[in-house]
Amino acid sequence: MANARIEPGMARPAGDPKRTNRFARDFAINKYLYLMIIPVLVYYVVFHYAPMYGAVIAFKNYSPVKGILGSDWAGLKHFYDFFNSYYFLRILKNTILISLYTLLFEFPAPILLALLINEVRSKAFKRTAQTITYMPYFISLVVICGIITDFTNSDGVINRLFMLFGYDGQAMLQKPELFRPIYVLSEIWQRVGWESIIYIAALMSIDMEQYEAARIDGASRFKQMLYITLPGILPTIAIMLILRMGNLMNVGFEKIILLYNPVTYETADVISSFVYRKGLLEFGWSYSSAVGLFNSVINLALLITANWISRRVNNSSLW
């Protein structure tokens, strides 16, 4: 066994000296690049991996006095309580619907914006359009929600416009059936410009000779977009879709908490806002941790599934 040969394609042992020497040479050449990675690794270890230990309180009756280690074990009690509670189906339904509506309408919006900007020939108009669409992303979320609240009040701008066509003014955020459309439309308005940046960058990498050849063959602008532009950015779209699927259940609870109220809980209360209310307002730390852990497991399953489907369909995946 000591003289066993390693055939081509076989994985080398973990302690293989050749692999160690290769890493040492690479580190000697790129040592400053490795040093630049250290702060990022420290950040993820301290703020992302270390706190994962706290998830154990989902299986305990956590008490701040006893601490995590001293608290009594509860097993799966909090999960059973959540699955059998009155709120389970409601918040699960709201989370799925708002997530799907956002994915269906907000995800394609930056792609369409990038395609439209790419077709514009005036550089001044391009810069102006990009600046205007970027601006909402850099406005504080509290300010954004304040604007939404003011605009949708019974005497707000939107209602005043509706009154011109004979409709009565109404406080839109007090209507449960209007909460989801308002949320999705505000997400599009806030994020479409910023998220289009990555697609515009992907468009810049497409070989211009393909467009020239297509024009010589008589392809219209629409056909060029259909057969050259879209296939050119398809891998980027696939990667972004996978990342979005991994956060599908993480509906932005900050905006929902700032916009919803007890009247709209029926359609607005989602898992993340429920965790916030139970954990921080009602001090149900273990119960809210169990709900949050359930949400994270669903997100992980969606991420793995989306990555597998993307790899099988178009050979684009995260791993």
Side-chain angles (χ1 to χ4, degrees), residues 10-274:
M10 292 178 59
R12 293 182 178 275
D16 182 37
K18 290 186 178 181
R19 177 176 293 179
T20 304
N21 293 336
R22 185 170 54 190
F23 174 76
R25 287 195 303 269
D26 187 66
F27 181 82
I29 297 172
N30 303 299
K31 56 185 176 183
Y32 295 111
L33 294 178
Y34 281 102
L35 291 175
M36 290 174 63
I37 296 176
I38 292 176
V40 179
L41 294 177
V42 171
Y43 166 78
Y44 275 97
V45 169
V46 173
F47 294 102
H48 290 268
Y49 288 99
M52 289 175 65
Y53 171 71
V56 73
I57 69 175
F59 305 95
K60 291 192 169 190
N61 291 319
Y62 175 70
S63 170
V65 177
K66 296 181 180 180
I68 296 178
L69 296 177
S71 298
D72 299 328
W73 283 99
L76 300 176
K77 174 182 179 298
H78 302 298
F79 294 92
Y80 290 138
D81 291 344
F82 173 58
F83 296 148
N84 294 321
S85 70
Y86 165 79
Y87 302 103
F88 173 67
L89 291 178
R90 187 183 76 178
I91 65 174
L92 185 63
K93 174 186 173 182
N94 291 340
T95 303
I96 293 174
L97 286 178
I98 293 178
S99 298
L100 290 179
Y101 290 158
T102 305
L103 182 67
L104 183 62
F105 296 105
E106 192 267 333
F107 181 77
I111 302 173
L112 295 175
L113 179 62
L115 293 174
L116 291 173
I117 291 176
N118 186 60
E119 294 298 319
V120 174
R121 293 293 176 257
S122 172
K123 293 184 179 180
F125 184 84
K126 277 186 178 182
R127 289 193 295 267
T128 303
Q130 288 177 288
T131 302
I132 292 174
T133 54
Y134 293 168
M135 287 174 60
Y137 185 82
F138 296 99
I139 301 175
S140 169
L141 185 59
V142 176
V143 176
I144 289 287
C145 292
I147 293 173
I148 296 171
T149 302
D150 290 340
F151 279 27
T152 57
N153 278 337
S154 57
D155 58 348
V157 175
I158 297 176
N159 275 295
R160 288 183 181 274
L161 292 175
F162 285 161
M163 289 178 187
L164 296 176
F165 298 95
Y167 293 98
D168 295 330
Q170 57 181 334
M172 295 182 174
L173 287 177
Q174 300 297 322
K175 300 287 185 178
E177 66 273 13
L178 295 179
F179 184 88
R180 292 169 187 160
I182 292 173
Y183 179 88
V184 174
L185 289 173
S186 66
E187 281 287 289
I188 295 174
W189 170 64
Q190 186 180 2
R191 305 177 65 89
V192 63
W194 177 256
E195 293 182 353
S196 68
I197 293 176
I198 190 168
Y199 299 110
I200 293 174
L203 289 170
M204 297 298 103
S205 65
I206 299 177
D207 188 359
M208 298 303 296
E209 292 183 357
Q210 296 184 49
Y211 292 103
E212 294 177 4
R215 282 194 293 269
I216 293 173
D217 291 339
S220 63
R221 295 277 291 275
F222 178 76
K223 288 187 176 180
Q224 291 176 38
M225 181 187 68
L226 192 61
Y227 295 108
I228 299 176
T229 306
L230 281 177
I233 64 173
L234 186 59
T236 303
I237 295 175
I239 295 300
M240 296 302 294
L241 181 60
I242 293 171
L243 294 174
R244 177 62 66 88
M245 292 296 294
N247 288 292
L248 188 65
M249 302 291 285
N250 289 339
V251 180
F253 76 97
E254 298 95 343
K255 180 182 284 188
I256 288 182
I257 288 172
L258 291 170
L259 292 178
Y260 80 162
N261 56 73
V263 177
T264 57
Y265 280 175
E266 177 187 348
T267 58
D269 197 19
V270 295
I271 291 177
S272 55
S273 61
F274 183 76

